[in-house]
Amino acid sequence: MTAYSMYIAIALVVLFFASAIRILREYERGVIFLLGRFWKVKGPGFIIVIPIIQQMERVDLRTIVMDVPSQDVISRDNVSVNVNAVVYFRVIEPDKAIIQVEKFYEATSQLAQTTLRSVLGQHELDEMLSERERLNADIQNVLDQQTDAWGIKVSNVEIKHVDLNESMIRAIAKQAEAERNRRAKVIHAEGEMQASEKLYEAAKILAQQPQALQLRYMQTLTEIANERSNTIVFPLPMELIDSLLKKEK
């Protein structure tokens, strides 16, 4: 019985030390509690946790990629859209992530959803579609400030999709078409303005030189003559007649 008891004792000691051994990877940390009180953060590598007296919570320090489910957002101009995003964050203080909040991943997810709705609700639809980088930065700053007490660092937020209903898509298409027509008319008007200025300058030059006006007139007749026409009727400018009469005198 003595030998049997010794074997049992040795087995219990081996099991005790085996249960006390923990191995943490490079990206893991262990938050150790001693009799229910926070003691220290250990890892990575080989550590010993005394059973019953000490407890350990394992925390992953790698960047976590979290999808934010699609949220119904009412923009400042009263347009209803569905928006989803992705959040990149990591734990930088494992003790706070365990002590200050219960289930930090779920807490960050819920906070990201409410922040997405509140921040985007302060902007108009055009800003959501054209200024995503600024909105991403605004959401990231708000999340980072609120999760700082949890020992979490939000490194980036990206809005993935802004989904509109069919009626809004048609309205935006009409607006874009109207904008293109407006730009086309403005460009055409600017072209007409520039052409009129050039014609005005040319008219002033021709008025100062009657010979240049006659040459331009003859050039026009030459261009007309090259066309497929049997009969050409054209007015004879008085400046040309006056010059011919002066030569005869």
Side-chain angles (χ1 to χ4, degrees):
M1 291 295 294
T2 304
Y4 183 73
S5 300
M6 184 177 63
Y7 292 149
I8 293 177
I10 293 173
L12 291 175
V13 171
V14 171
L15 290 175
F16 179 81
F17 281 103
S19 62
I21 295 174
R22 298 286 191 276
I23 297 177
L24 299 177
R25 296 182 177 87
E26 182 66 31
Y27 54 82
E28 291 179 328
R29 298 293 184 272
V31 180
I32 308 300
F33 293 90
L34 179 62
L35 297 176
R37 292 179 178 272
F38 170 71
W39 183 40
K40 64 168 59 177
V41 177
K42 288 187 176 182
F46 176 86
I47 65 173
I48 294 178
V49 179
I50 301 174
I52 301 175
I53 298 177
Q54 295 180 338
Q55 298 83 36
M56 185 188 75
E57 293 286 345
R58 193 182 299 260
V59 180
D60 195 325
L61 301 184
R62 292 177 294 182
T63 298
I64 299 174
V65 181
M66 180 181 66
D67 280 326
V68 180
S70 181
Q71 303 294 310
D72 292 329
V73 178
I74 304 297
S75 65
R76 192 171 64 180
D77 51 349
N78 295 323
V79 178
S80 178
V81 295
N82 291 326
V83 183
N84 61 351
V86 59
V87 178
Y88 299 86
F89 70 95
R90 62 186 181 90
V91 177
I92 58 176
E93 297 182 76
D95 52 335
K96 289 185 177 180
I98 297 299
I99 298 173
Q100 299 298 330
V101 62
E102 180 184 7
K103 297 180 180 179
F104 65 86
Y105 182 89
E106 295 180 2
T108 305
S109 176
Q110 294 297 320
L111 182 61
Q113 295 176 36
T114 56
T115 303
L116 183 68
R117 291 195 298 268
S118 62
V119 172
L120 295 184
Q122 301 173 7
H123 299 273
E124 297 182 355
L125 177 61
D126 291 341
E127 295 176 330
M128 295 184 194
L129 299 176
S130 61
E131 300 183 10
R132 288 194 181 185
E133 292 185 2
R134 182 169 65 87
L135 296 180
N136 291 338
D138 292 344
I139 298 171
Q140 186 263 331
N141 290 332
V142 174
L143 279 177
D144 193 35
Q145 292 176 3
Q146 297 185 3
T147 57
D148 183 66
W150 303 343
I152 293 174
K153 173 64 178 178
V154 178
S155 57
N156 194 16
V157 176
E158 292 290 339
I159 298 174
K160 293 198 296 185
H161 300 292
V162 179
D163 296 327
L164 306 173
N165 54 39
E166 293 296 330
S167 60
M168 184 56 60
I169 293 176
R170 289 193 296 269
I172 293 176
K174 291 180 180 179
Q175 180 182 1
E177 183 179 0
E179 179 65 18
R180 289 194 296 269
N181 292 334
R182 184 189 68 83
R183 292 180 180 178
K185 291 180 180 179
V186 169
I187 293 174
H188 179 72
E190 290 178 352
E192 292 290 338
M193 177 66 70
Q194 295 175 2
S196 63
E197 292 175 355
K198 296 299 181 182
L199 289 174
Y200 177 72
E201 294 176 0
K204 290 196 298 183
I205 295 174
L206 292 175
Q208 296 174 359
Q209 299 291 334
Q211 294 82 0
L213 179 62
Q214 296 175 9
L215 291 175
R216 181 58 182 166
Y217 185 78
M218 297 303 295
Q219 182 181 0
T220 304
L221 292 179
T222 303
E223 294 175 356
I224 296 174
N226 291 330
E227 297 180 358
R228 296 181 179 179
S229 177
N230 296 327
T231 304
I232 301 175
V233 178
F234 59 90
L236 189 63
M238 295 302 298
E239 292 83 357
L240 182 60
I241 296 176
D242 292 339
S243 61
L244 293 175
L245 293 176
K246 289 180 181 179
K247 290 180 179 180
E248 290 180 357
K249 292 180 180 180

